[in-house]
Amino acid sequence: MRLRGGRNLQESIGLVPAVAAGAGEEEERMRIGMGRWGALVLLGLGLAGTAQAEASPYGTVEALERVLDRLQSSDEPEPLGDGPVLRKGDRSDAVRRLEDRLAWLGDFDGSPDARFDADTEQAVRRFQGRHGLKVDGLVGPETRSALGRTKQDRIARLKKNLEARRSFERPKGSFVLVNVPDFELHVLGPDVEPLSMRVAVGKEGWGTPPITDRIERVVINPAWNVPASIVAADLAPKVARNPGYLAEKNMVVLDGWGEGASRIDPSTIDWGSVTEGNQSFHVRQQRGPQNPLGRIKFLFPNQAHIFLHDTPHRSLFVRQERDGSHGCIRVEAPFQLADLVLAGTDGWDRGRVEEVVDSGERATVALASPFPVRVVYWTAWVDEDGTLHEREDLYDGIAPTEKPV
């Protein structure tokens, strides 16, 4: 609930800090999103401070159920519809429809008057923050699309997520949780200091699936054994156009994966006719600064061949939408993740890991106690502060209830 003085109801009673004047966009993105639904869930339902939420920071099933109940009994206003970008200073009937819609969703607490003023802009920013959109206060195509989701669409989304949450099996101890549509990784549990970081996940056509598994090994200075599917779809066409591509990327062609594998001359292969099923060779990208796996990878055996890994492409984590991989999960802070995952394995503290990284030599560390990992596909949740968050369905059809690999 937003007060006309610029603070929301939760800020006014000291539940969350007010956003400081001049705060950066990213800091504001993390703090905003305390709309009227959030206040109702937090204050009216008594869920603030719920201990040991089953998948914090994604709140509880009960909180999501109560938001669904309130949505089902609400009256949906007139759609915003298509149109030009709306911004502060605009005055039109479209602005009135915008304010009606924001009020319905709990982000605007004023009286709709068709004037896009500071309160309207703040409501737009709040809406953008809890939908994972760029927080700029402008109603452009992405924000307009998110605002345009109907009541029935929202109800269907909440129901699917509720089904997924009810079937979620939280490990007894500490674990890694990756929520694909949220582009976030969290390490949670009683034995660790909570850790959160951004991730990049599979792009459309190479989607990252739900996974239930355990991290068993950590590989330092890994080489990349390029999957046959990627060789056929991405690599072979590039080599066919540019025969020097493999050398430029520090890649070699081998007759096997083992230590004794022999190299094959790339010029003896008809790259224009390579398919996923006819490859009698393997492609490996050697260790080094160009290797897309970076300095560390975290392995958990699964049929989809998905794993967590570092990346040299740090600019990925600046992007709002981080779906750019071939399915594996690129992590923002691999050394911090390694600190927690390797904590129970003797002889592998941060200093030892960095020493091996600096040496350039490959090392594989078997964890003394495998570390549970859960990769989920949740597009709606109510956080610990009682705020409803929603994310886009990246892959247009993967249900949050899809059976994990």
Side-chain angles (χ1 to χ4, degrees), residues 188-200:
L188 307 167
D191 306 319
V192 297
E193 196 70 30
L195 173 68
S196 297
M197 67 185 72
R198 297 177 176 188
V199 298

Side-chain angles (χ1 to χ4, degrees), residues 56-58 175-178 182 184-188 195-197:
S56 175
Y58 296 101
F175 68 106
V176 172
L177 177 67
V178 177
D182 192 30
E184 293 284 336
L185 177 152
H186 307 275
V187 183
L188 307 167
L195 173 68
S196 297
M197 67 185 72

Side-chain angles (χ1 to χ4, degrees), residues 44-191:
L45 301 177
L47 294 174
T50 298
Q52 297 297 320
E54 75 273 14
S56 175
Y58 296 101
T60 65
V61 168
E62 291 77 14
L64 199 57
E65 288 173 336
R66 290 167 183 172
V67 170
L68 174 61
D69 289 342
R70 292 178 182 274
L71 175 61
Q72 289 175 320
S73 63
S74 70
D75 295 321
E76 182 179 7
E78 181 182 0
L80 175 58
D82 296 329
V85 174
L86 298 176
R87 52 171 50 87
K88 187 177 178 181
D90 287 349
R91 301 183 69 163
S92 67
D93 190 59
V95 175
R96 178 196 58 76
R97 295 195 303 273
L98 167 67
E99 292 173 328
D100 282 342
R101 201 120 187 120
L102 290 169
W104 171 56
L105 294 170
D107 296 295
F108 181 67
D109 195 44
S111 299
D113 57 8
R115 293 186 301 115
F116 199 130
D117 59 13
D119 289 331
T120 309
E121 182 183 54
Q122 185 61 28
V124 171
R125 287 176 173 270
R126 191 158 50 251
F127 175 87
Q128 291 169 328
R130 63 185 188 83
H131 284 77
L133 301 169
K134 181 179 180 181
V135 180
D136 57 10
L138 303 175
V139 183
E142 290 186 353
T143 299
R144 191 181 283 269
S145 175
L147 281 163
R149 284 203 294 270
T150 67
K151 175 180 174 178
Q152 291 308 312
D153 287 342
R154 293 176 185 277
I155 288 173
R157 171 173 289 189
L158 291 182
K159 286 182 175 179
K160 286 181 179 179
N161 280 273
L162 274 169
E163 186 178 349
R165 295 297 297 276
R166 289 171 183 141
S167 64
F168 177 72
E169 297 180 4
R170 178 182 176 123
K172 292 182 179 179
S174 301
F175 68 106
V176 172
L177 177 67
V178 177
N179 187 8
V180 173
D182 192 30
F183 308 115
E184 293 284 336
L185 177 152
H186 307 275
V187 183
L188 307 167
D191 306 319

